[in-house]
Amino acid sequence: MAVPPSAQSLIAEHEALYSQRAAGIKQSAVRDVFELSLDASLVSLAGGNPYLQSLPLKKLGDIAQRIITEQGPVALQYGSGLGTEELRLQILEVMAAEGIDNVSVDDVVITNGSQSAQDMACKVFCDPGDTVLCEDPTYVGALNTFEAYQVKAAAVLTDAQGIVPEALAERIQSLRAAGERVKFLYTIPNFNNPSGITLAAHRRQQVVEICRAAGVLILEDNPYGMLRYDGEPAPTLRSLDPENVIYMGSFSKILSPGLRIGWAAVPSHLFRRFYLAGEAVALCPPTLNQMIISAYLREHDWKGQIESYCQLYASRRDAMFAALEKYLPAGISYTRPEGGFFIWLTLPEGIDTYQLLQEGVQAGVIFIPGAAFSPGNPLSHTLRLAFCAVDEDTIDEGVKRLSKLLERKLEVLSN
Ligand code: PMP
């Protein structure tokens, strides 16, 4: 639609009012592809959506109805900026199930998903121009938050076992030598989104010690930790260093992302600043949703639910491994995650996966191009596949379609 001249000058006037940080705010590639994934003829291996059809929906419905009818004036009211006492106590049990037993309820703040805990951390610790360290690739939502706070994201070398400790130490040293203010390491130690890689148990103590010695905080983002399908769990960074690690947890992958409830376990001496930063944005996390989750944890076998999720996702992951094995042309490597939602493909250089996505839409399969997850965007020949949201046959079909496309691409490349 044509914009009349008077409106155009108003738009220009208003654009001049934007803050500098607003220029850095952009829609994530995951969101772009989300729109596409609504087309039912496409196989979407794009979205990291948990499979909510497996939840006890009737039970959750009854809980919600009961809470509103019996406790409506509390449930629909503002609540504490910290979150409800009951849920904060229950979160200690959830963390204990991951081997974290050194957190006091006074150090837990409930947040609007762990996304908002990332935002709070940037707000509290980062000035424009500061540097944070992260894996490459890493979670696109965190990269967007860093950009919005005008924070530089510096990649640390990783391999199949996660962050390389020696490289972390060197990176901190060289950034500092160049005058950069390094504030924290943002890391997803378990089943990284998007790579699926897990930080090896034997490296964890080293990573913690390097950061502690360098005066660099750790932001440990662990939404997938309980979705482990094989292998042994490794200790959380928080359990190794409660004074230097801010731990971020979430109910999004083990229950529901739509309820928007996550949490942060913050070292006691940092807690007050941290939680006040959240209160300034949202006043309080949603009371009704916290009460629903509390009742669910109290009345339902939530650990059993996670176990059955693990079985479901393990079977889907294995179907994706089998399909990749069967159809994928030679010359393409992929990660072998022991949990989480994602597998990461590395194609020969020269294939741009943004371009490939457009062709994927024609071929009936979509995924997320890898550059979206990379701080400097250099990983254009990589892509993320999600196995969580669709069944085994659909995964097979999606990987088949993608592989055909890749075969044609490789042929063109070799000519
Ligand atoms: N961190 C990671 C690594 C994620 O993958 C996601 C969601 N995809 C989030 C944080 C955000 O989770 P939440 O819904 O709790 O805000």
Side-chain angles (χ1 to χ4, degrees):
M1 198 173 70
V3 185
S6 60
Q8 260 166 4
S9 69
L10 185 71
I11 290 169
E13 237 174 69
H14 283 176
E15 278 181 355
L17 300 179
Y18 277 140
S19 66
Q20 283 178 8
R21 71 163 45 133
I25 298 174
K26 56 176 196 258
Q27 174 161 309
S28 88
V30 178
R31 283 266 137 209
D32 295 342
V33 179
F34 185 78
E35 315 281 320
L36 286 174
S37 69
L38 301 176
D39 178 345
S41 69
L42 294 177
V43 171
S44 176
L45 303 177
N49 294 349
Y51 190 71
L52 303 186
Q53 288 87 333
S54 292
L55 287 175
L57 294 173
K58 168 81 174 68
K59 191 178 235 176
L60 283 165
D62 291 345
I63 287 174
Q65 190 184 32
R66 193 184 74 217
I67 291 173
I68 292 178
T69 48
E70 293 176 11
Q71 295 172 275
V74 176
L76 303 177
Q77 189 54 276
Y78 291 117
S80 158
L82 293 172
T84 66
E85 175 87 6
E86 181 179 15
L87 187 55
R88 289 164 67 218
L89 284 165
Q90 289 168 314
I91 282 170
L92 298 186
E93 287 169 43
V94 175
M95 286 193 286
E98 288 218 65
I100 307 171
D101 55 11
N102 57 3
V103 181
S104 145
V105 69
D106 297 330
D107 298 335
V108 174
V109 55
I110 294 175
T111 60
N112 290 44
S114 66
Q115 186 72 40
S116 76
Q118 294 167 16
D119 191 276
M120 287 152 79
C122 285
K123 192 179 226 179
V124 173
F125 296 109
C126 297
D127 291 310
D130 284 354
T131 296
V132 299
L133 301 161
C134 60
E135 286 127 4
D136 184 7
T138 190
Y139 172 52
V140 62
L143 289 176
N144 287 347
T145 304
F146 301 151
E147 238 168 41
Y149 279 92
Q150 297 167 290
V151 170
K152 293 181 249 177
V156 178
L157 183 71
T158 57
D159 60 20
Q161 303 201 315
I163 289 173
V164 179
E166 298 73 23
L168 170 65
E170 276 163 28
R171 190 81 164 118
I172 296 173
Q173 207 177 23
S174 65
L175 285 164
R176 292 247 167 97
E180 302 291 346
R181 299 182 303 267
V182 183
K183 293 296 179 71
F184 59 73
L185 165 68
Y186 167 76
T187 176
I188 310 157
N190 295 316
F191 324 124
N192 172 301
N193 174 5
S195 72
I197 288 174
T198 290
L199 178 60
H202 69 274
R203 287 187 177 175
R204 293 187 177 216
Q205 187 68 38
Q206 280 172 285
V207 166
V208 156
E209 279 170 16
I210 289 166
C211 287
R212 163 75 84 125
V216 170
L217 282 168
I218 297 180
L219 234 62
E220 178 177 28
D221 190 10
N222 190 28
Y224 304 100
M226 280 200 256
L227 300 173
R228 172 176 279 282
Y229 317 134
D230 37 47
E232 285 304 308
T236 60
L237 305 181
R238 164 77 202 199
S239 66
L240 297 175
D241 190 354
E243 286 162 349
N244 200 51
V245 178
I246 297 175
Y247 178 87
M248 302 187 296
S250 176
F251 287 103
S252 289
K253 318 294 167 169
I254 55 170
L255 177 55
S256 153
L259 291 174
R260 306 303 308 129
I261 299 289
W263 69 90
V266 186
S268 310
H269 58 286
L270 301 173
F271 186 78
R272 198 177 138 71
R273 284 284 169 94
F274 193 91
Y275 114 80
L276 288 176
E279 207 171 58
V281 176
L283 296 183
C284 64
T287 317
L288 172 62
N289 297 1
Q290 292 176 78
M291 290 173 76
I292 291 173
I293 294 179
S294 275
Y296 169 83
L297 295 173
R298 215 186 309 118
E299 296 167 22
H300 188 69
D301 175 15
W302 60 272
K303 287 186 183 166
Q305 181 69 43
I306 292 174
E307 271 166 34
S308 73
Y309 263 135
C310 284
Q311 280 170 20
L312 176 95
Y313 294 137
S315 158
R316 291 178 175 189
R317 178 204 57 174
D318 291 346
M320 189 168 273
F321 282 157
L324 289 167
E325 185 71 27
K326 187 157 63 166
Y327 302 121
L328 209 59
I332 297 169
S333 62
Y334 55 91
T335 55
R336 298 195 66 86
E338 293 184 328
F341 286 176
F342 308 110
I343 295 179
W344 181 250
L345 269 61
T346 304
L347 317 179
E349 283 187 37
I351 299 183
D352 177 351
T353 51
Y354 265 113
Q355 171 67 30
L356 190 74
L357 175 64
Q358 304 311 321
E359 294 164 38
V361 172
Q362 305 305 318
V365 59
I366 55 174
F367 51 82
I368 311 280
F373 304 97
S374 184
N377 288 352
L379 298 174
S380 62
H381 60 293
T382 52
L383 63 90
R384 186 191 81 178
L385 297 181
F387 53 77
C388 48
V390 285
D391 65 29
E392 288 78 353
D393 288 346
T394 313
I395 287 171
D396 187 82
E397 178 60 30
V399 173
K400 194 160 135 189
R401 291 179 190 182
L402 175 66
S403 300
K404 271 204 192 122
L405 186 61
L406 285 169
E407 261 169 33
R408 288 204 297 274
K409 275 274 163 199
L410 290 176
E411 229 175 78
V412 173
L413 210 61
S414 66
N415 287 333

